[in-house]
């Protein structure tokens, strides 16, 4: 892009001011097509943001918009009465956390920040009339819409693993009943049983998650069912924090020995699962078939359903956005954040969704107030537990260049110190920070 | 209609985004601080698991914050993740973060 000198910049700024006034007129709902009530609301000058999805992205955006400008009315649409975080849900398996401790109500968003919470589902987005239509027949006008729908699954990509089958063989990749079912099955399993975890191809929610899950299940089995075994049948050849996980497994779970509690079979060793037979509790991987007692297939993923029906996704199944504002590159005035968005190098993590939501919130406020959008930056920090007292992390700072591309800052970030470097590292400190992080990020999102 | 929108959008883009003369833009300090809250909390959080393990950012003098952040950045102080995070920002950005955090009106829940 050509660099503007000061005079040119001022000229464009002034023109933009005029354009803003013009666009404000253009964007008024067309009188003839709109119900009277909506025009009345608009005429009163009530500025409205609607947010779809009360997970990490949606809840954070709601709170931070209200904190930045309490004159903006924010309606958060979420069918569930409370939100169960996916992060931390592996810890329940190891008995580090109660399931109830994963659940967060919307009471503080409503009472402390004045967010309107609507327990309903959006069935349709009408970008021309700027309204969403809900299952209960509500019709809500928005000046800006933020869509934070999380993930949906590619059912039957592993042949036989359908949505119906997932009610009996949980993926547990959306926390809630699925998490509880997986834990019940692990508790019911015999000593000497086999657990299969089948992580998906990239990209997917919580890249270190399947491997932390293996760790937490191993911690439980080591104490209660020590003759049991976990097989990770992977669609990939590497994974997040791999060196640190393998090192932790060697130290704790006999990884690489004859008595290994965890065995990881990558795609290169024909570990990829192709088919599932629920009746015989058998998976068919590229190496052949394997029977197991508990089977946890985590299917390949795409953006949440509403993103697809609204036309916000591209051929990848995820949503392209402008990264300074998180406004959709496909539909103006609609922003997409969290796991559903294409976020450059930012992973599909809770921390990233929280970080994206804050940048989006301030951008939405700026755009609605005719102010300059600020220069963004993001952080991702992901802790994983190998045991309750053995924590590892990955962190990165992200910025955006003039081409609107997010980049990881050179020299920053990376994973925890490895024990191979000849130092003990900070595994205990990181385990304590991990648990403290859960309390602080959920407070930042919901409370 | 379509063309008009495109024109409006491109004018808006040029008007409201930072001038692009600088090779690397100065990140907004408030946005950086919002990212800190992901671990540190917007105010002192009471954690039943590890109370106070991650320090609160409230009521700290700017001089202490800037010293800590630059020490992490240049590995003069050993932390767990803060060395990795602090390297993501210029000294100017870290200084702006310290000023923002130390201003009593800014760092509120």
């Amino acid at each position: 892009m050509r660099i503007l000198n000061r005079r040119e910049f001022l000229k464009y700024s002034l023109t933009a001011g005029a354009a803003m006034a013009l666009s404000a007129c253009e964007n008024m709902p067309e009188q003839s097509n709109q119900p009277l009530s909506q025009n009345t609301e608009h005429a009163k000058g009530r500025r409205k943001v609607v947010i779809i999805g009360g997970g990490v992205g949606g809840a954070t955006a709601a709170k931070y918009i209200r904190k930045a400008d309490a004159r903006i009315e924010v309606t958060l649409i979420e069918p569930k009465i409370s939100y169960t975080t996916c992060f931390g849900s592996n810890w329940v398996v190891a008995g580090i956390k109660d399931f109830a401790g994963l659940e967060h109500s919307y009471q503080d968003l409503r009472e402390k920040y004045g967010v309107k919470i609507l327990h309903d589902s959006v069935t349709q987005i009408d970008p021309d009339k700027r309204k969403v239509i809900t299952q209960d027949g509500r019709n809500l006008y928005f000046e800006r819409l933020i869509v934070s729908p999380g993930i949906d699954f590619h059912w039957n990509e592993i042949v036989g693993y359908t949505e119906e089958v997932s009610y009996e063989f949980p993926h547990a990749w959306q926390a809630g009943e699925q998490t509880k079912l997986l834990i019940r099955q692990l508790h019911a399993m015999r000593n000497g049983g086999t657990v299969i975890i089948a992580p998906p191809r990239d990209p997917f929610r919580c890249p270190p998650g399947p491997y932390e899950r293996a760790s937490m299940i191993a911690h439980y089995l080591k104490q209660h069912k020590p003759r049991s075994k976990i097989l990770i049948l992977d669609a990939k050849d590497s994974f997040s924090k791999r060196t640190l996980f393998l090192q932790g497994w060697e130290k704790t779970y006999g990884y690489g020995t004859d008595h290994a509690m965890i065995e990881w079979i990558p795609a290169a060793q024909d570990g990829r699962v192709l088919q599932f037979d629920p009746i015989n509790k058998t998976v068919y991987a590229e190496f052949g078939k394997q029977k197991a007692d508990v089977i946890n297939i985590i299917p390949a993923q795409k953006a949440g359903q509403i993103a697809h029906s609204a036309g916000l996704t591209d051929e990848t199944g995820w949503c392209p956005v402008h990264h300074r504002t998180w406004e959709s590159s496909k539909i103006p005035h609609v922003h997409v954040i969290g796991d559903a968005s294409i976020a450059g190098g930012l992973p599909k993590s809770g921390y990233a969704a929280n970080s994206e939501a804050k940048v989006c919130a301030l951008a939405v406020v700026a755009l609605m107030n005719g102010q300059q959008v600020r220069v963004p930056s993001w952080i991702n920090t992901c802790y994983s537990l190998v045991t309750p007292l053995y924590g590892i992390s990955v962190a990165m700072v992200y910025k955006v260049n003039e081409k609107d591309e997010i980049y990881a800052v050179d020299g920053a970030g990376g994973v925890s110190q490895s024990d191979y470097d000849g130092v003990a590292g900070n595994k205990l400190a990181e385990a304590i920070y991990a648990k403290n992080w859960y309390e602080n990020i959920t407070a930042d999102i919901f409370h | 209609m379509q063309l008009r929108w495109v024109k409006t959008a491109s004018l808006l883009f040029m008007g409201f985004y930072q001038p692009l003369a600088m090779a690397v833009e100065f990140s907004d300090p408030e946005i950086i601080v919002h990212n800190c809250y992901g671990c540190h909390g917007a105010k002192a959080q009471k954690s039943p698991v590890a109370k106070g393990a991650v320090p609160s950012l409230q009521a700290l003098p700017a001089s202490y914050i800037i010293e800590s952040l630059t020490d992490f950045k240049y590995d003069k102080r050993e932390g767990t993740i803060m060395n990795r995070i602090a390297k993501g920002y210029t000294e100017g950005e870290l200084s702006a973060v310290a000023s923002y955090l130390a201003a009593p009106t800014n760092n509120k829940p």
Side-chain angles (χ1 to χ4, degrees), chain A residues 1 26 324-325 332 351 355 358 372-375 377 379 393 399 411 413-415 433 435-436 439-441, chain B residues 4-5 16-18 20 25 28 30 34-35 38-39 45 47 49-50 53-54 80-81 84 87-89 93:
Chain A
M1 174 173 277
E26 283 182 348
R324 287 168 190 262
T325 57
Y351 205 109
S355 186
K358 289 165 176 173
Q372 193 172 55
V373 171
R374 304 192 207 175
V375 179
S377 63
I379 293 179
S393 66
K399 293 180 177 174
V415 295
Y433 287 144
K435 292 165 202 166
N436 200 177
E439 304 304 323
N440 285 344
I441 193 146
Chain B
R4 234 182 342 166
W5 183 84
F16 288 136
Y17 285 76
Q18 292 275 350
L20 303 172
E25 297 167 282
D28 183 76
E30 188 174 34
H34 282 178
N35 287 319
C39 288
Q45 306 288 352
S47 160
V49 183
V54 180
T80 51
I81 69 160
R84 293 176 254 162
K87 288 181 179 65
Y89 304 100
E93 286 168 337

Side-chain angles (χ1 to χ4, degrees), chain B residues 10-47:
Chain B
S10 48
L11 283 169
L12 281 171
F13 182 90
M14 297 175 116
F16 288 136
Y17 285 76
Q18 292 275 350
L20 303 172
M22 284 180 291
V24 177
E25 297 167 282
F26 193 91
S27 301
D28 183 76
E30 188 174 34
I31 289 178
I32 299 175
V33 169
H34 282 178
N35 287 319
C36 304
Y37 292 159
C39 288
H40 289 273
K43 56 174 179 170
Q45 306 288 352
K46 284 187 178 132
S47 160

Side-chain angles (χ1 to χ4, degrees), chain A residues 285-446:
Chain A
E286 284 175 342
F287 66 78
K289 66 176 181 178
Q290 175 70 47
K291 204 171 158 65
D293 298 85
V294 175
I295 295 169
N296 175 220
I297 291 171
I298 303 163
Q301 294 157 30
K302 56 185 176 179
Q305 182 49 47
I306 186 72
H308 296 273
S309 55
L312 291 163
T313 50
D314 68 11
E315 68 285 352
T316 65
W318 306 97
C319 305
V321 294
H322 301 291
H323 290 123
R324 287 168 190 262
T325 57
W326 297 82
E327 186 165 1
S328 166
S329 351
K330 309 204 89 173
I331 305 177
H333 307 113
V334 178
H335 303 247
V336 185
I337 54 174
D339 293 345
S341 66
I342 298 172
L346 278 158
K348 299 189 185 302
S349 73
Y351 205 109
N354 174 263
S355 186
E356 293 159 18
K358 289 165 176 173
V359 168
C360 176
L362 287 191
V364 162
V365 170
L367 290 166
M368 288 174 77
N369 289 333
Q371 296 160 343
Q372 193 172 55
V373 171
R374 304 192 207 175
V375 179
S377 63
W378 302 266
I379 293 179
N380 179 60
T381 300
C382 279
Y383 287 102
S384 303
L385 293 178
V386 175
T387 79
L389 301 176
Y390 190 118
I392 56 177
S393 66
V394 62
M396 184 49 78
V397 176
Y398 299 89
K399 293 180 177 174
V400 64
N401 65 19
E402 69 278 8
K403 287 184 229 153
D404 194 49
E405 295 159 343
I406 291 180
Y407 64 93
V409 177
D410 195 29
V415 295
S416 317
Q417 269 188 320
S418 160
D419 286 356
Y420 292 135
D421 298 342
V423 288
N426 295 301
K427 304 301 186 292
L428 177 61
E430 293 218 282
I432 293 167
Y433 287 144
K435 292 165 202 166
N436 200 177
W437 168 80
Y438 184 93
E439 304 304 323
N440 285 344
I441 193 146
T442 51
D444 187 41
I445 299 162
F446 295 105

Side-chain angles (χ1 to χ4, degrees), chain A residues 63-71 361-362 365 369 374:
Chain A
K63 174 174 160 179
Y64 274 79
I65 289 173
R66 293 286 300 169
K67 275 177 72 170
D69 188 346
R71 297 167 303 173
L362 287 191
V365 170
N369 289 333
R374 304 192 207 175

Side-chain angles (χ1 to χ4, degrees), chain A residues 154-276:
Chain A
H154 286 288
W155 298 114
N156 224 28
E157 188 174 293
I158 290 175
V159 178
Y161 194 73
T162 61
E163 188 172 2
E164 292 68 38
V165 168
S166 77
Y167 298 129
E168 200 181 336
F169 295 89
H171 50 74
W173 221 243
Q174 286 163 325
E177 286 309 312
Q178 286 274 312
T179 317
K180 290 181 182 170
L181 180 57
L182 180 63
I183 292 168
R184 279 202 301 276
Q185 291 179 353
L186 289 165
H187 287 174
M189 190 181 84
R190 67 191 167 92
N191 187 5
T194 300
V195 179
I196 285 176
I197 299 173
R201 61 181 164 86
D202 290 320
F204 64 100
R205 163 180 285 181
C206 193
Y211 313 94
E212 185 194 55
R213 175 170 289 174
S215 310
M216 294 291 92
I217 293 175
H219 177 75
Y220 164 76
L221 294 176
K222 192 176 169 181
Q223 294 170 82
H224 300 283
K225 290 150 191 176
R227 288 189 287 113
S228 309
K229 185 165 180 163
I230 301 160
L231 274 179
I232 305 173
L233 304 183
D234 213 325
K236 305 180 297 301
D237 285 329
S238 192
F239 55 86
S240 173
K241 303 178 214 170
R242 183 183 143 201
T243 304
L244 290 167
F245 270 115
L246 296 186
Q247 191 176 81
W249 295 345
E250 279 170 12
K251 286 196 163 186
T252 325
Y253 305 119
Y255 184 79
T257 69
D258 291 346
H259 306 290
M261 189 159 248
I262 300 175
E263 190 180 346
W264 174 58
I265 306 176
Q269 291 170 29
D270 297 331
R272 190 163 72 95
V273 173
L274 306 171
Q275 199 177 336
F276 177 51

